[in-house]
Amino acid sequence: MEASKILPVLKKKLAFLSGGKDRRSGLILTIPLCTEQTSMEELSATLDYLLGIPSEKCKARGFTVIVDGRKSQWNIVKTVVLMLQNVIPAEVSLVCVVKPDEFWDKKVTHFCFWKEKDRLGFEVILVSANKLTRYIEPCQLTDEFGGSLVYDHLDWLNKRLVFEKFTKESTSLLDELTVINENEKGSQAEKDRSSESNILPSFDPETVLQTGHELLSELQQRRFNGSDGGGGGTAWSPMDDELLAQPQVMKLLDSLREQYTKYQEVCRQRSKRSQLEEIQTKVMQVVNWLEGPGTEQLRTQWGIGDSIRASQALQQKHEEVESQHSEWFAVYVELNQQIAALLNAGDEEDLMELKGLQQQLSDVCYRQASQLEFRQNVLQSAHEFHMTAQDLSQQLDGLLGMLCADVAPADGAAIQQTLKHLEEKLKSVEGALQSLREKGQVLLDQMSTQTSFSYGKDVSIENKENIDHIHSVMEDMQLRKQRCEDMVDVRRLKMLQMVQLFKCEEDASQAVEWLGELLDALLKTHIRLGDDSQETKVLLEKHKKFVDVAQSTYDYGRQLLQATVVLCQSLRCTTRSSGDTLPRLNRVWKQFTVTSDERQHRLEMAGAFHTAAEKILRESPELAELMVDVEAYEEVETVGKGLLDRLTVPVIFPDGSEQFFGSPGDMASSAESIRERMKLVEEKRFLQEEAEQRLDEESLETGPRES
């Protein structure tokens, strides 16, 4: 029975062989019943077809039938089980009826399959789907029963159709090829008639063989994957050798290959003679051209050119020569393939002739190809040499242009960048010169081996010209590079001096800024005059140190500006500091000098004021008439008023501008402190005057008593 004849029935999947096996290695036959009415005739036809697939050996191990009744009625399940008795009683070992979980329990009591075991010929058990693994391993069950076995019914059916189609076509093709091959064994006249008739088989042998190989590969692949044990690959399927007769496919393929090989031999023998004659003609055409015009073309090509343009022209000419040769080389490749094919399939009588033609053709073509390749390598090396020489020449021209141009950078960083760029240029030139030497040496080595490809022609004179040209180019580049190096040394020294010049000018400007910051700090933060003579003395010492720092800053700026003058004279350029930095330095220094003198004078006045005031305030009031005279009080008052007046006067710079110390609040605080001290002295003076008045009165009273 063929699958194509009952294809609509098989597509319904009334029953199938999933490829799974029970624990006795028997095949598992699955009958999935559905809610719709199942046709027993169609089911019987499906079972008949399926049971015709396995081998007798496989059938002898028995079947385990799974009747899936979860979606069906009990009477249909019972009918199917009883039908198995008539269809496959001897092959069935066990029937597992998969029951629903709920509504069969009462009905099962009316029909017990185990009581009918002797009559049925096999054991029937009712089991839930989740308990089916008690009887069959999970890896042998499909996913509808909780197993891991993969089964695709449509894929299986398609493979069955392919198998049956292959069997039919291969059998018919074998018969036709056998007839054709038998006719070839007849007399020469029959062979001629057979060749004239050009009998072709009904089916394309290649297509049939490809179909068979694909089918066999599919079977073997499935068997290999299935035997892994199930985890990672395609699961065991019914397309193995037991279900699809893999040995039968292999036997048909072997027979078909054998007859097809004979058929191909017949075809080859028919065309061998004509091919051999055609090959001989083409071989002589190739050999004659390569040894004649081809060789003459190469004899005239030996120069390497003296520039990139000349080498490119030679390369273009060589490409034209190669293009002509490539056409004949293509013929050689085709002929060599044809000869190789004839050698593999030819008779003993043709082998020597074919080998002789092949050897002659190969010798001539390989020799000519080697000469072309050598010439191409020489031209490529010459082109690279000229390109490197031109690139080096351009780099030397660029470097020389940099060295001849005037250096007018904006600042030290620009000089450093220019110097770095100059060093990089020089390094690049050195690398290019080294590359030129290497490429020149490669070209010279190739020139030394050129004699072996001269076809008997003396090329020593032409080679000498090429070699002299190569040496001349390399020596010229070496001299140009040496001259540039000498100029770079001079330029480097000049640029380093310019770096020093810019550094000195930058540091001088920084000194002016520092001096300005010191002046600003002196005016804004150096405000206190001290609350007593000791503190004023300390402030005066700090002021002197502060002035020393400013003096050293000013001297440092002057030294830097003097250095810029020397460097500018060495570089023959106009110094920038004389017109800008030096006047600013002197202006700030004069302002600082005036301010520091004013600060020192105020501190000295404050020191004198506190000293005089403290001398008065230290004396006890009882001894005032003995210790302090009026001049001391007047001195304190005079110095204090002078100091207060000084605090209200701004610092006047040489350019006429004015600047106060600190803020008005700072000055008010200092003035208030002085006034407080003057007030204390005034109180002391008042007490002293009262004491003196009392003494005068007492002396007046004592005088009359004594008299």
Side-chain angles (χ1 to χ4, degrees), residues 535-697:
E535 184 179 359
T536 303
K537 183 178 180 181
V538 172
L539 290 174
L540 189 60
E541 292 296 327
K542 289 183 178 181
H543 175 70
K544 291 179 180 180
K545 293 180 180 179
F546 186 78
V547 172
D548 292 340
V549 172
Q551 181 68 50
S552 63
T553 302
Y554 172 71
D555 295 340
Y556 175 64
R558 293 281 298 183
Q559 293 172 3
L560 290 173
L561 292 175
Q562 291 174 1
T564 58
V565 173
V566 175
L567 288 172
C568 285
Q569 291 175 351
S570 175
L571 295 171
R572 297 178 182 179
C573 62
T574 303
T575 180
R576 307 176 189 182
S577 60
S578 60
D580 182 20
T581 309
L582 182 59
R584 288 195 299 117
L585 179 65
N586 291 332
R587 183 174 63 254
V588 175
W589 175 245
K590 289 178 181 179
Q591 292 176 350
F592 183 86
T593 302
V594 171
T595 305
S596 64
D597 290 345
E598 177 64 22
R599 170 66 175 169
Q600 182 171 355
H601 188 65
R602 292 185 181 187
L603 288 173
E604 290 175 351
M605 288 182 67
F609 170 76
H610 287 303
T611 301
E614 289 171 358
K615 182 177 181 182
I616 294 174
L617 295 175
R618 278 199 302 268
E619 302 297 338
S620 61
E622 293 77 6
L623 302 177
E625 67 281 0
L626 302 177
M627 300 296 295
V628 182
D629 55 12
V630 177
E631 294 179 355
Y633 288 105
E634 292 177 351
E635 179 184 359
V636 170
E637 183 177 2
T638 302
V639 174
K641 290 181 178 179
L643 184 57
L644 289 174
D645 294 338
R646 197 88 180 190
L647 291 178
T648 61
V649 177
V651 180
I652 301 176
F653 295 138
D655 58 358
S657 60
E658 298 179 353
Q659 182 72 41
F660 285 93
F661 278 96
S663 63
D666 296 332
M667 291 297 99
S669 177
S670 299
E672 183 64 26
S673 177
I674 295 171
R675 291 191 186 95
E676 289 291 334
R677 179 60 66 94
M678 291 177 66
K679 184 178 179 181
L680 293 176
V681 171
E682 187 64 28
E683 292 177 355
K684 180 70 175 290
R685 181 176 182 178
F686 178 73
L687 293 176
Q688 181 174 335
E689 289 177 352
E690 288 183 347
E692 289 178 353
Q693 186 177 359
R694 284 197 306 272
L695 289 175
D696 292 341
E697 291 177 355

Side-chain angles (χ1 to χ4, degrees), residues 170 173-178 180-181 200-201 203-210 213 252-268:
S170 60
L173 182 59
L174 277 174
D175 294 339
E176 293 179 6
L177 292 179
T178 301
I180 295 173
N181 294 333
L200 295 176
F203 300 101
D204 180 21
E206 294 287 350
T207 303
V208 177
L209 281 171
Q210 182 179 358
H213 283 301
L252 285 172
L253 283 174
D254 292 341
S255 301
L256 189 57
R257 279 194 294 265
E258 179 182 358
Q259 291 299 324
Y260 183 51
T261 301
K262 293 179 180 180
Y263 173 75
Q264 289 177 318
E265 179 65 23
V266 170
C267 295
R268 283 194 294 268

